[in-house]
């Protein structure tokens, strides 16, 4: 046992679980729910091994499907019963080792009496039928409103395979899968492996697939329907792309295949292990809960983010490339080697986020991918890590119900940032060698964090146990500041000062950064020098900089190696404010912009002062990613200003109109660059709220006005209609009705819902709130659209009218489960930037003590956002 493994066991045994040298404490039986605890899953995997499944599905396109599961496995003992997971099925036949039995089934799992099991080889056979799901889990069914064609796809993470077949639904019981499917003649059937044959059976086809390599249940998949298919065999591995027939014209397969081929070549080389699943299929699917899912050999992507009715912008192409790379990294790190339990999910996601960005930056045209990561995901991580609900990267997961409680920017982007700085600390070659050793040693197996860290430690020849404790088991983001003094124009002392996240989170960490000095030039800030520094503890002396010319600006995390919030010294902060347009390096410019925005959010710089800086400098910005970063802060600023009403209403109306006109002017000035133009026009569209701007949008919609170079496609038409309805522009409701009749596609239906619910009408709000809270017939994807648009920031009075109801019903709504509450709690908790709003949220926390951890966390975070808004408002007043 290594020192690291011993320390991790000590952490676990001293925390969530009580352990002894011989066995764990008594493990309670399952509670009749669909969920299984880590202890129960560990007990089952200790007894069960050598699992294989034979799956047979009968698909008709109706609301129900038929299936049979034959699971073969070895059992170490038959001293106690065994459970097999199967959710909400109608069981027709059950055979246990060839003997027919009446199933002991509670709707969540089948319990098998110990007397019926063998110590050794066993087979369980279940024949059943089940309703298709409509919430994006299990075997999801979607009916295309355009042509009434039926499409199916599976989604199992974290533990929803049981909604499609009988299974030991936990990641550490990897198995082989042999699949057979009977489906309508015009359907495609897609799974991990490519089919070996398709046989005609009258109006149906019988699809047969070979046995898969060993996979965790959540990595297996099956998708079926009359999908349009594109193929490309120009690379090392055959590639296919699938989409619904009615949206095939909105897909650019050449982009998909180009990025996929580039990624496969990159990862084959980086990991030193050939792609493990022989063919590479990707599917665009509707109603998807997440951005994408790494099913082995058959990756699913949400249509909402990757279908376009006009040519893709650079931003959209970069997002496509980045998500393809992220899911592709999972094929090795997550599918080939899989965590043992859901506490290890962060490592899968963090590593895929890190590797996806690395591959995008090195294998595609988007060599600025790390800058996009800094401005987007990393800032989300800093924000999440500064909340009262922050948590370590590695956290216990008690049951499968809690698997996604802490899936957030800490899991993804902080984890990725931590791996990035570890790569700098160890060196690129050492890090890569450690990753390769890990993947080779644990291929087709399950592994734990300690296994990964051990591989890196061996490659580096150093002990990483302290690093692991500081970075993975300690929460919070630290702050780094340069302290220096000068005499006679030269630096005579220079230190890096590290501040812990808080008194409750006192950890000081070790990491490697670059410190850069800049002097004031006539036309630009000029870099004097930069040095790499490994700092730890509260203060680190940097003797290499003593004797350098006294700088106008110091940036202590140059090139963004480290995961740390930077606090600029007073002189550097003022230099940054006055000289943004003189900073040549776009990443440094991005980081300085971020420092200003952080100062607003921390209550140190007035929002009005920040917006004055924007109006002067933003029109001069020529870097595409950075323009997007600035625009994102403007949209946040608009929401802050609207929430501050009526106290700052006159100022809010004036400055929002000025920002809208600035954005329109930039859109008109950039007609020769479609990417820039679209970025600024979208900003204008989101900022437009005054009468003149809304009238102009209506004219663009009707063709009475034009902007040179800009095409008003269907997506833009809906965005304009939604904005006009949001501010109750004259005749906007009629425009909505007319557009909904013309566009009856799935995306059109969702856009129509958004435009309707966003209208400032109390009756509409109450009607849709009741549907969200009680309706089970409307597909969840449409309810989620309604949640996202129901109460925009400026509709404070309408939000206040139902605020008490939304809080009072939380206990009841919590029973709908984590899929529903992840959206509801994050989108519909009431806010109005006031002390009264803070008090209402505090009261809900005090009185509703039985809320789930997920919902309670959302309340805490919403209250903290309210407190931040009040802080920003007070700084302006």
């Amino acid at each position: 046992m290594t020192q690291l493994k011993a320390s991790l066991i000590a952490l676990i045994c001293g925390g969530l679980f009580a352990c002894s040298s011989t066995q764990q404490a008594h493990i309670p039986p399952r509670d009749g729910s669909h969920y299984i605890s880590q202890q129960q899953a560990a007990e089952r995997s200790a007894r069960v091994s050598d699992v294989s499944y034979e799956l047979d599905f009968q698909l008709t396109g109706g609301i129900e499907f038929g299936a049979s599961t034959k699971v073969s496995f070895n059992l170490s003992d038959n001293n106690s019963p065994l459970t097999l997971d199967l959710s909400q099925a109608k069981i027709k036949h059950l055979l246990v080792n060839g003997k027919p039995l009446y199933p002991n089934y509670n709707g969540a799992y089948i319990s098998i009496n110990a007397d019926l099991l063998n110590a050794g080889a066993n087979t369980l056979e279940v024949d059943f039928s089940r309703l298709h799901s409509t919430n994006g889990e299990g075997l999801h069914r979607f009916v295309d409103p355009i042509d009434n064609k039926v499409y199916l796809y599976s989604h199992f993470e974290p533990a929803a395979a049981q909604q499609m077949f009988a299974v030991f639904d936990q990641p550490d019981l990897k198995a082989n899968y042999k699949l057979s499917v009977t489906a309508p003649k015009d359907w495609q059937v897609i799974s991990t492996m490519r089919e070996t044959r398709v046989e005609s059976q009258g109006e149906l086809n019988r699809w047969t697939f070979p046995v898969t390599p060993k996979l965790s249940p959540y990595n297996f998949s099956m998708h079926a329907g009359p999908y349009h298919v594109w193929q490309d065999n120009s690379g090392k591995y055959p590639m296919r792309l699938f989409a619904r027939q009615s949206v095939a014209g909105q897909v650019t397969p050449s982009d998909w295949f180009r990025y996929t081929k580039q990624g496969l070549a990159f990862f084959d080389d980086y990991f030193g292990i050939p792609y493990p699943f022989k063919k590479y299929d990707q599917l665009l699917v509707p109603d998807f809960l997440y951005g994408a899912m790494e099913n082995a050999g058959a990756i699913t992507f949400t249509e909402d983010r990757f279908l376009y009715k006009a040519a893709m912008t650079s931003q959209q192409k970069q997002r496509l490339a980045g998500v393809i790379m992220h899911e592709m990294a999972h094929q090795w790190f997550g599918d080939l080697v899989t965590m043992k339990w859901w506490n290890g999910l962060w490592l899968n996601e963090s590593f895929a986020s890190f590797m996806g960005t690395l591959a995008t930056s090195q294998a595609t045209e988007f060599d600025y991918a790390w800058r996009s990561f800094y401005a987007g995901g990393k800032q989300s991580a800093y924000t999440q890590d500064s909340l009262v609900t922050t948590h370590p990267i590695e956290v216990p997961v008690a049951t499968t119900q809690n698997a996604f409680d802490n899936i957030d920017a800490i899991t993804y982007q902080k984890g990725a940032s931590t791996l990035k700085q570890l790569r700098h600390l160890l060196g690129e070659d050492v890090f890569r060698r450690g990753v390769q050793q890990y993947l080779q040693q644990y291929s087709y197996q399950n592994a734990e964090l300690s296994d990964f860290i051990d591989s890196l430690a061996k490659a580096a020849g150093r002990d990483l146990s302290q690093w692991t404790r500081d970075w993975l088991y300690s929460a919070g983001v630290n702050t780094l500041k340069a302290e220096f003094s000068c005499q006679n124009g030269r630096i005579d002392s220079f230190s890096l000062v590290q501040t812990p996240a808080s008194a409750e989170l006192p950890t000081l960490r070790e990491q490697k950064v670059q410190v850069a000095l800049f002097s004031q030039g006539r036309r630009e800030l000029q870099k004097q020098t930069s040095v790499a520094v490994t700092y730890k503890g509260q203060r680190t002396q940097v003797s290499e900089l003593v004797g350098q010319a006294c700088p106008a600006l110091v940036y202590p995390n140059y090139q963004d190696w480290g995961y740390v919030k930077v606090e600029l010294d007073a002189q550097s902060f003022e230099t940054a404010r006055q000289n943004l347009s003189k900073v040549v390096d776009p990443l440094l410019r991005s980081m300085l912009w971020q420092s200003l925005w952080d100062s607003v959010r921390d209550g140190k710089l007035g929002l009005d002062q920040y917006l004055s800086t924007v109006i002067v400098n933003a029109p001069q910005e020529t870097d595409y990613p950075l323009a997007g970063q600035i625009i994102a802060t403007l949209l946040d600023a608009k929401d802050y200003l609207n929430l501050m009403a009526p106290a700052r209403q006159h100022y809010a109306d004036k400055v929002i109109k000025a920002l809208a006109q600035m954005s329109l002017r930039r859109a008109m000035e950039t007609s020769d660059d479609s990417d820039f133009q679209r970025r600024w026009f979208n900003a204008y569209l989101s900022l437009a709220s005054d009468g003149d701007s809304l009238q102009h949008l209506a004219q663009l919609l009707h063709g009475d006005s034009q902007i040179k170079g800009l095409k008003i496609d269907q997506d833009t038409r809906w965005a304009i209609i939604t904005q006009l309805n949001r501010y109750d522009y004259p005749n906007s409701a009629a425009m909505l009705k007319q557009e909904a009749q013309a566009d009856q596609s799935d995306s059109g239906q969702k856009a129509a819902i958004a435009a309707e619910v966003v209208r400032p009408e109390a009756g509409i709000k109450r009607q849709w709130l009741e549907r969200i809270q009680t309706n089970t017939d409307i597909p969840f994807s449409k309810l989620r659209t309604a949640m996202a648009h129901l109460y925009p920031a400026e509709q404070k009075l309408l939000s206040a009218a139902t605020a008490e109801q939304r809080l009072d019903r939380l206990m009841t709504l919590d029973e709908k489960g984590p899929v529903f509450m992840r959206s509801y709690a994050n989108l519909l908790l009431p806010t109005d930037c006031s002390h009264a709003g803070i008090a209402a949220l505090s009261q809900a926390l005090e009185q509703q003590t039985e809320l789930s951890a997920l919902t309670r966390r959302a309340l805490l975070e919403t209250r903290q956002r309210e407190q931040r808004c009040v802080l920003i408002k007070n700084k302006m007043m």
Side-chain angles (χ1 to χ4, degrees):
M1 181 182 292
T2 65
Q3 179 183 351
L4 175 60
K5 285 183 176 176
S7 64
L8 295 185
I9 289 173
L11 279 169
I12 294 169
C13 291
L16 183 65
F17 305 122
C19 308
S20 72
S21 59
T22 57
Q23 61 180 13
Q24 292 183 337
H26 172 69
I27 299 171
R30 297 182 66 175
D31 60 5
S33 74
H34 302 280
Y35 309 113
I36 188 170
S37 73
Q38 181 178 13
Q39 296 161 298
Q40 291 160 348
E43 181 185 49
R44 186 162 66 176
S45 65
R47 300 176 66 205
V48 173
S49 61
D50 298 323
V51 184
S52 63
Y53 297 94
E54 293 182 30
L55 306 176
D56 195 323
F57 294 94
Q58 299 85 49
L59 309 176
T60 65
I63 63 172
E64 188 174 85
F65 66 92
S68 66
T69 299
K70 179 179 180 181
V71 53
S72 303
F73 59 95
N74 284 332
L75 194 63
S76 63
D77 67 80
N78 60 349
N79 299 327
S80 58
L82 185 68
T83 59
L84 183 69
D85 306 309
L86 180 62
S87 173
Q88 301 300 319
K90 300 174 187 174
I91 297 178
K92 299 175 183 178
H93 303 289
L94 171 65
L95 297 177
V96 177
N97 291 322
K99 298 177 182 178
L101 291 172
Y102 185 82
N104 180 7
Y105 178 56
N106 63 1
Y109 50 83
I110 303 166
S111 296
I112 311 296
N113 193 298
D115 294 339
L116 303 172
L117 297 167
N118 302 320
N122 292 267
T123 60
L124 306 177
E125 298 176 64
V126 190
D127 189 13
F128 64 94
S129 62
R130 191 192 191 278
L131 290 173
H132 287 284
S133 69
T134 58
N135 72 342
E137 291 189 312
L139 188 56
H140 181 91
R141 177 178 180 267
F142 176 85
V143 181
D144 193 321
I146 295 295
D147 54 20
N148 289 319
K149 293 183 183 295
V150 174
Y151 295 87
L152 311 177
Y153 63 86
S154 70
H155 180 80
F156 297 154
E157 190 180 34
Q162 60 190 275
Q163 296 183 34
M164 195 174 102
F165 58 96
V167 59
F168 299 119
D169 208 351
Q170 58 190 76
D172 62 343
L173 281 175
K174 285 198 167 190
N176 304 108
Y177 300 80
K178 185 178 181 181
L179 174 67
S180 299
V181 180
T182 303
K185 205 82 167 179
D186 62 337
W187 281 24
Q188 298 283 338
V189 180
I190 306 100
S191 188
T192 298
M193 308 297 288
R194 190 72 176 264
E195 69 277 3
T196 51
R197 64 180 182 273
V198 181
E199 299 173 301
S200 175
Q201 294 185 348
E203 295 182 357
L204 303 172
N205 279 340
R206 178 73 171 171
W207 296 67
T208 303
F209 295 81
V211 176
T212 70
K214 283 193 174 295
L215 295 170
S216 293
Y218 83 94
N219 295 140
F220 178 71
S221 68
M222 188 272 288
H223 323 286
Y227 287 98
H228 185 90
V229 57
W230 297 269
Q231 300 189 57
D232 187 319
N233 295 317
S234 63
K236 184 178 178 181
Y237 308 100
M239 299 177 291
R240 295 188 298 178
L241 178 66
F242 299 83
R244 287 187 291 130
Q245 298 284 348
S246 67
V247 300
Q250 300 172 45
V251 180
T252 53
S254 59
D255 289 321
W256 284 79
F257 289 138
R258 183 172 73 258
Y259 298 138
T260 301
K261 189 160 60 174
Q262 290 169 339
L264 287 167
F266 176 85
F267 287 121
D268 265 8
D269 177 65
Y270 189 94
F271 294 138
I273 297 173
Y275 168 66
F277 302 112
K278 298 182 179 179
K279 55 89 178 173
Y280 206 88
D281 290 339
Q282 298 173 107
L283 299 92
L284 283 153
V285 297
D287 291 350
F288 204 56
L289 288 171
Y290 311 105
M293 178 61 201
E294 67 269 18
N295 313 304
I299 299 90
T300 42
F301 295 77
T302 181
E303 286 182 349
D304 292 346
R305 298 186 191 179
F306 300 107
L307 291 179
Y308 303 105
K309 298 182 175 73
M312 280 195 288
T313 64
S314 288
Q315 178 191 19
Q316 291 164 342
K317 287 186 176 183
Q318 182 186 354
R319 179 169 62 182
L320 172 62
V323 177
I324 287 174
M325 300 301 175
H326 178 106
E327 304 307 327
M328 192 178 292
H330 274 309
Q331 303 299 301
W332 285 264
F333 209 104
D335 294 1
L336 179 65
V337 180
T338 313
M339 76 239 159
K340 286 187 177 179
W341 182 246
W342 297 104
N343 61 312
L345 182 59
W346 78 268
L347 184 56
N348 282 2
E349 297 301 345
S350 296
F351 190 84
S353 296
F354 167 75
M355 286 302 307
T357 308
L358 183 66
T360 304
S361 68
Q362 295 188 9
T364 75
E365 67 265 35
F366 305 108
D367 54 6
Y368 51 79
W370 282 115
R371 289 203 286 120
S372 300
F373 175 82
Y374 167 80
K378 196 168 189 178
Q379 298 312 313
S380 298
Y382 286 147
T383 299
Q384 189 75 47
D385 213 9
S386 301
L387 295 175
V388 293
T389 54
T390 187
H391 55 85
I393 294 176
E394 169 91 1
V395 292
V397 175
T399 77
T400 49
Q401 182 179 18
N402 307 112
F404 282 176
D405 282 0
N406 291 304
I407 295 299
D408 53 25
I410 293 174
T411 305
Y412 283 76
Q413 286 84 16
K414 180 181 179 179
S417 301
T418 299
L419 293 174
K420 181 186 178 189
Q421 62 87 8
L422 180 59
R423 178 171 170 256
H424 283 296
L425 187 67
L426 301 182
E428 293 183 17
D429 292 340
V430 169
F431 182 86
R432 179 177 178 179
R433 189 163 63 250
V435 168
Q436 290 179 343
Q437 291 171 0
Y438 171 77
L439 292 174
Q440 288 165 2
Q441 183 174 353
Y442 296 102
S443 287
Y444 301 108
Q445 300 176 58
N446 296 92
E448 297 177 292
L449 170 64
S450 58
D451 300 317
F452 178 66
I453 297 298
D454 272 355
S455 295
L456 295 178
K458 289 174 184 175
R462 62 168 286 182
D463 183 0
L464 290 176
S465 56
Q466 184 64 48
W467 182 93
T468 302
R469 285 191 289 271
D470 290 347
W471 282 101
L472 305 182
Y473 288 96
S474 301
V477 54
N478 293 357
T479 300
L480 187 65
K481 183 177 182 179
E483 284 189 0
F484 61 96
S485 61
C486 298
Q487 284 193 359
N488 301 320
R490 298 283 171 180
I491 295 174
D492 65 348
S493 69
F494 195 107
S495 299
L496 291 178
V497 178
Q498 180 182 191
T499 306
S502 65
E504 294 76 25
L505 301 170
T507 302
L508 296 175
R509 300 177 172 92
E510 175 189 6
Q511 63 178 324
K512 190 175 185 178
V513 295
Q514 287 189 93
V515 182
L517 311 182
F518 297 85
S519 60
Q520 184 83 58
R522 289 184 57 190
R523 297 184 178 179
E524 63 184 58
L525 283 178
Q526 297 174 339
K527 190 176 83 166
Q528 296 173 210
T529 189
S530 63
V531 296
V533 179
T534 299
Y535 73 86
K536 56 184 176 180
Q538 183 177 3
R539 181 178 295 270
T540 302
Q541 302 290 335
V542 187
S543 58
E544 302 98 308
L545 295 177
V546 173
Q548 291 284 332
C550 199
L553 182 146
V554 176
Y555 202 84
N557 189 22
Y558 185 60
Q559 295 300 307
D560 193 36
W561 285 10
Y563 178 82
V564 64
K565 292 188 74 171
V566 168
E567 180 183 348
L568 293 176
D569 63 89
Q571 178 180 312
S572 295
F573 185 83
E574 194 56 35
T575 300
R577 281 190 63 194
Q578 300 297 328
N579 295 275
L580 279 172
S581 60
K582 293 182 179 180
V583 178
V584 177
D585 181 342
L587 176 56
L588 178 63
R589 199 159 69 248
S590 171
M591 298 173 91
L592 294 176
W593 270 107
Q594 190 61 47
S595 291
L596 296 182
W597 182 242
D598 287 344
S599 295
V600 173
R601 288 163 53 83
D602 294 340
K604 298 176 182 177
L605 178 70
L607 180 59
D608 48 350
Q609 295 173 286
Y610 175 80
L611 293 174
S612 296
T613 303
V614 169
I615 289 172
V616 171
N617 289 278
Q620 303 176 56
E621 186 53 63
T622 58
D623 183 75
Y624 180 69
L626 184 46
Q629 177 185 344
I630 296 168
I631 289 168
T633 67
L634 297 187
L635 301 184
D636 284 347
K638 180 194 176 189
D639 283 346
Y640 279 130
L641 290 169
N642 282 322
L643 284 169
M644 292 174 191
R648 302 286 300 196
Q649 190 68 60
H650 178 70
Y651 172 78
D653 292 344
K654 179 181 176 182
V655 75
I656 292 172
K657 181 175 182 179
L659 293 172
Q661 292 304 307
M662 178 192 76
S663 301
L664 174 60
R665 187 166 58 252
R666 288 298 293 142
M668 297 173 71
E669 292 168 350
T670 53
S671 59
D672 58 340
D673 187 328
S674 61
D675 288 332
F676 245 99
Q677 182 179 54
R678 177 60 66 175
R679 175 153 271 177
W680 279 109
F681 178 76
N682 288 341
Y684 168 59
L685 208 165
S686 298
L687 290 163
S689 56
D690 62 280
D692 291 341
S693 297
L694 294 171
Q695 182 181 22
H696 182 228
L697 287 181
Q699 291 170 344
L700 290 171
L701 180 71
H702 299 311
D704 300 327
S705 181
Q706 294 181 337
I707 296 175
K708 182 182 176 182
L710 184 73
K711 293 182 66 175
I712 307 297
D713 57 53
Q714 185 60 55
D715 290 335
T716 307
R717 289 184 63 83
W718 273 120
I720 291 173
I721 288 168
T722 301
Q723 193 74 355
L724 295 176
N725 277 273
R726 177 173 177 169
Y727 293 96
D728 198 18
Y729 184 79
N731 208 36
S732 57
M735 297 180 205
L736 162 58
K737 184 177 180 180
Q738 182 178 354
E739 202 71 22
Q741 290 174 344
D743 180 8
Q744 297 185 29
S745 67
D746 178 59
S747 61
Q749 290 179 3
K750 290 172 182 170
I753 289 172
E756 178 185 351
V757 302
V758 82
R759 288 186 59 77
E761 296 183 23
I764 290 176
K765 304 292 185 190
R766 288 193 178 276
Q767 181 184 53
W768 269 101
L769 181 61
E770 188 65 20
R771 288 177 182 172
I772 290 166
Q773 293 180 335
T774 64
N775 198 294
T776 57
D777 297 328
I778 300 174
F780 180 66
S781 61
K782 290 184 168 65
L783 292 179
R784 190 167 56 175
T785 298
M787 292 181 204
H789 293 84
L790 197 55
Y791 293 111
E794 73 279 358
Q795 295 178 9
K796 289 182 63 176
L797 293 178
L798 290 167
S799 177
T802 64
E804 186 175 349
Q805 173 193 343
R806 277 138 62 199
L807 288 175
D808 287 346
R809 289 195 183 180
L810 283 177
M811 284 291 295
T812 302
L813 294 172
D814 225 3
E815 296 174 2
K816 290 178 175 285
V819 171
F820 177 87
M821 286 308 292
R822 269 195 298 273
S823 294
Y824 186 92
N826 287 319
L827 295 171
L828 286 182
L829 290 179
T831 58
D832 69 353
C833 200
S834 70
H835 290 289
I838 295 169
L841 292 165
S842 296
Q843 185 177 24
L845 282 162
E846 292 167 5
Q847 295 180 351
Q848 302 187 51
T849 56
E850 300 301 316
L851 290 171
S852 68
L854 184 152
T855 303
R856 187 169 183 82
R857 170 179 164 165
L859 276 167
L860 288 165
E861 292 178 354
T862 303
R863 182 175 66 178
Q864 191 169 0
R865 285 194 292 270
E866 279 282 84
Q867 292 165 338
R868 169 168 281 165
C869 188
V870 170
L871 180 68
I872 294 171
K873 179 166 67 173
N874 291 341
K875 182 66 178 179
M876 287 183 62
M877 301 179 68

